[in-house]
Every structure is written in C-alpha cells, then in structure tokens.
Amino acid sequence: MIALHQVTKMYPLNNRTFYALQDINLSIQAGEIVGIIGKSGAGKSTLLRSINLLEKPSKGHIYINDVDITMVSINELKRQRQRIGMIFQHFNLLQSRTAFDNIALPLELLGEKKDKIKERVSSLLELVHLSDRYNHYPSQLSGGQKQRVAIARALATYPNILLCDEPTSALDSKSTFSILNLLKEINKKLGVTILIITHETNVIKYICDYAGVLDQGRLIEYATTIELLTRPKSIITRQLLQTSMHGDIL
C-alpha cells in the first residue's frame, strides 16, 4: 500500500546540509493504522507530506499501491493525490463556507455534478455524525466538530489512504477520545489505511496497530504498538514514553 525506500530530504542551511529525513524505510499495509511519534523538529511533518509529494524527497522512492509516485507525471500525481486524504491539526476550514460546503469543495474542484455532490456530502455528514450541523459555519462549531468536518472533507474523493497531521493536539481530552473513535470507525467501515503523526504517545497507544519513532530525521524504531510500548529498544523511545504516558486518555 505505502512503501518508502531510502527516503531522504535535505536542505541547505548556513553553508551546510540539514537533513529533515535520513534514509527512511517504511512499509504500511492496506487497512493498517500506523502512528509515528517524535519530538518537535524530528521530521514528522516532512515525512507525512512526503507521502503525497507535498515535500519531494531529495533521494529515495515512495510507492503508493506499487506506483512510484516520485517518478510519475504531474497529471498522474494529481490522480494519485485524489486517493490520499489529509487532515490537519488546525482543521484548515474555510470560514465563509458551511460544513456542507467545506466538505463539497474537493468535489466541486473535480467538476462533479451537484446531485452527486449532495449525495456524497450528505453520506459523509452522516458518517461523521454531523447531519444536524450541515448548515453551520466553522465559527458555530466546537473544535471536535470542526475536525469531523475536516475528516469528512478528506474522505470526499473516496481515498484509500488518510494522512493525519497531529489531528488531536488542538483538542481537549473528550474531543480527542471522540475523534480517535471516529478514525477507528472509518478504518473499520471503509478499510482506509491511516497514518498519524503525533507527539502524544497515548494517541498511538489507543488507536494504532503499528508505531514508529522518528528522531533527527531517522526512523530509529518501528514495531507493533504493544511491542514498542512494552519493550522499547532505544533511549529516545524510553524518554518519550516516560514524559508522555502520565497523561493517559484511556
């Protein structure tokens, strides 16, 4: 489903080379929920944005469904991106559009007919449990409701991959629990593969099948979530667990 081979991202910085990612090898199977944790500046967002080529690697290859997207044409990349949804920490909703219209936007950009848009958006509002909020503007929604709209928008084009950039870090604990349950539900109902980056170890603990630790651009550890949490191999992983597990959301 998703495979990264020797992915490296580097930038020139003050007459030297800064490595945001270094030789990343990662394989994610269809239907899995995978989490990547790490401290601020570890390279998590760069890794996530590389998967849909919002950040183009300096070296290496990225395969989506056996297609090397680092080698395809611009038109083919656009087609690949339609199957990759993305949600963000701060929702990125348009304040001038209702919940319905925010979700409809990707379909409008693809030129879908109005009746098909209405049918798709209505079904997504039901999926994210916001059918009664379709005509509300973002300013009229809670943080958790805004993130539900953002999730529905990310699913509008029938993606089979959902990339989540710190999806709960702007939410309170109750909303966090609710959004994680919704992502679980989406994974189960739709079979969508989910990749989450977060600094919250408890998010990984609650939702992920597999988890990895990123540090200074390197994937230093990757295992089943249970193994990572109970038998961490690296000092960095143990430090992350010690500083974050006290705030358990369960």
Side-chain angles (χ1 to χ4, degrees):
M1 168 60 74
I2 304 172
L4 281 68
H5 293 171
Q6 298 294 117
V7 170
T8 295
K9 179 65 177 181
M10 48 192 178
Y11 303 94
L13 180 65
N14 298 329
N15 297 319
R16 65 183 181 89
T17 300
F18 170 74
Y19 286 86
L21 298 174
Q22 299 188 65
D23 299 323
I24 301 292
N25 291 293
L26 177 64
S27 180
I28 300 172
Q29 301 304 311
E32 291 180 344
I33 303 178
V34 171
I36 302 294
I37 58 174
K39 298 177 182 179
S40 177
K44 302 188 299 299
S45 291
T46 303
L47 174 63
L48 196 75
R49 290 167 59 86
S50 295
I51 291 174
N52 57 8
L53 243 59
L54 291 177
E55 292 276 1
K56 188 171 182 178
S58 306
K59 297 179 182 178
H61 298 273
I62 298 171
Y63 295 86
I64 305 294
N65 297 322
D66 297 322
V67 175
D68 184 352
I69 65 170
T70 64
M71 303 296 290
V72 299
S73 67
I74 292 176
N75 287 336
E76 176 59 25
L77 179 59
K78 289 179 180 178
R79 286 191 287 271
Q80 290 290 333
R81 282 175 173 164
Q82 289 175 21
R83 306 307 307 275
I84 304 174
M86 193 164 185
I87 62 174
F88 304 89
Q89 176 180 358
H90 295 296
F91 324 127
N92 287 12
L93 301 179
L94 296 177
Q95 298 299 314
S96 61
R97 295 176 70 106
T98 64
F100 185 100
D101 292 334
N102 265 286
I103 299 167
L105 182 59
L107 298 171
E108 293 172 1
L109 294 174
L110 290 175
E112 292 286 358
K113 295 181 179 179
K114 287 185 178 181
D115 57 340
K116 288 188 176 181
I117 291 175
K118 183 177 180 180
E119 180 181 359
R120 178 60 175 162
V121 175
S122 296
S123 68
L124 287 169
L125 282 165
E126 183 176 352
L127 176 66
V128 301
H129 312 293
L130 284 181
S131 294
D132 60 340
R133 296 289 190 272
Y134 76 97
N135 208 30
H136 285 57
Y137 290 90
S139 61
Q140 298 171 304
L141 301 173
S142 68
Q145 289 170 338
K146 290 176 187 177
Q147 193 60 288
R148 287 173 181 271
V149 173
I151 291 170
R153 181 185 58 190
L155 294 172
T157 58
Y158 301 90
N160 50 30
I161 296 170
L162 188 59
L163 305 178
C164 305
D165 188 354
E166 299 274 6
T168 61
S169 61
L171 304 177
D172 59 31
S173 58
K174 183 178 179 180
S175 296
T176 291
F177 185 84
S178 177
I179 291 299
L180 294 179
N181 279 331
L182 176 59
L183 291 174
K184 277 186 174 184
E185 181 182 349
I186 289 168
N187 171 258
K188 185 176 181 179
K189 285 185 176 180
L190 305 181
V192 175
T193 305
I194 298 176
L195 176 61
I196 298 175
I197 64 165
T198 182
H199 64 275
E200 300 173 279
T201 307
N202 288 314
V203 169
I204 301 296
K205 178 182 178 182
Y206 187 70
I207 194 175
C208 295
D209 305 309
Y210 292 86
V213 177
L214 204 62
D215 183 60
Q216 296 183 359
R218 292 186 180 276
L219 189 64
I220 60 172
E221 196 162 348
Y222 187 78
T224 66
T225 302
I226 292 176
E227 183 178 353
L228 187 79
L229 295 177
T230 59
R231 295 187 295 276
K233 296 178 181 178
S234 72
I235 294 175
I236 296 296
T237 304
R238 289 194 289 271
Q239 289 175 344
L240 286 170
L241 296 180
Q242 289 170 359
T243 57
S244 60
M245 290 299 285
H246 65 276
D248 208 327
I249 65 172
L250 295 177

